Amino acid sequence: MQRQEQKQVQQQQMTQDLVQRLPVLEADRLALIFRLARLARHNANIHLGSGGVEWIEDVASAFEEKLFTQIREGGGSEADKELRRKLVLLLDHRGLLPDTNEVLAERLQVDVAQIEQARQALLFLEPTGIGARTERECQYRHAIEHDDPRVVDVFDAIENGVSHQQMAIVLAVSEEELAGLERIVATLPKRPSLYEETSQIFPEVEVRYEDEKLVTTWLSPELDSTRVGNDREARWWMTSLAMRNETLREIWGVIESRQTEWLKGKLVLNPLTRRTVAHLIGKHESTVGRAIQGKFAKTENGIMEWRHFFVRSTSHGHSPFMIKRTLAELIQQETAPQSDQTLAHELARYGYQVTRRTVTNYREELGFGNSRERERQLWKG
């Protein structure tokens, strides 16, 4: 009996550990470096070995000081403020605090009530949503601070499963107004703004085609193994980053083998699904989905998001990407606009068996008008 209980506790700890590692897998390179730079300020054993981005490390060094200043200038006893500062140090790379009050209370050796009180105090700091338990709670904090108070009402109604029709009646708004409010709720930030957004992209991997072969260079962050030692926190991060990087390399290995033509500079993408990758690397499909989000690769065709390497196939096994590319070329090269049916016949000559209706859908997605509209444009010059 005792052995069974011990086994259950071990399984629970393993599950919690995996749950804690998932955000590391999901995080993009910039977010991870931001988090690691914060940790390095308090733990000399955590030091980036590779993959660093200097400016985000500088931003990270000032991030906590801004929060500490707000805590210092706020209300409460010195003991209350110290607990809030400790919670700030436990914020994850998203700026959230997903651990339960019970876990935090045990870790910091305080009462659960004290943790909840400190957590609530963090929610009033800037940036909005800092210290929220979940992304949904972060959205709620943004809803509270929205200029239109009805946004909170719509948020609460959606959370409570109130129908669209009932919301319109209760809030006394038109269908158009309600649709606008629902759009606002759907686009509320899921995470606090930890640093100013940048249009610059930081890829995880760079692939060049040199001397008839692909040369792959990994840019993912890693810790300096010579600095880790026996430090528990540093070793957890080193293991988590190693697991993350191993998973990314396994996924990329499949992408590279299936999309070799694209990586060599040709505009060709072959059908590939997450399920296929999951089967080949022996992981769950959801793990593949989590891993590829927000990840980029620098290729001969420019920087590309990993998810764009995944393209479904048609019933004949062709990638819609390739069909659309060929369709666009046919339309751009035509001297006299052709009907969708004629374009379908032309595509068949290239081995793409599609219906006229499919051609119409693809043509509209590409932004081309029908044959009459294209003829008028041609006539106008």
Side-chain angles (χ1 to χ4, degrees), residues 331 361-370 373-374 377:
I331 293 175
N361 290 335
Y362 286 177
R363 173 178 55 73
E364 291 175 349
E365 288 178 20
L366 291 166
F368 293 108
N370 59 35
E373 291 170 334
R374 301 202 306 280
Q377 289 175 349

Side-chain angles (χ1 to χ4, degrees), residues 35-49 223-224 227-228 231-235 237-238 241:
R35 172 65 170 150
L36 291 168
R38 284 180 52 216
L39 289 169
R41 296 181 67 234
H42 309 282
N43 189 335
N45 296 307
I46 293 178
H47 190 274
L48 273 176
L223 290 188
D224 182 353
R227 301 277 291 268
V228 171
D231 184 88
R232 183 178 178 182
E233 184 178 44
R235 292 189 71 82
W237 272 96
M238 187 172 70
L241 290 173

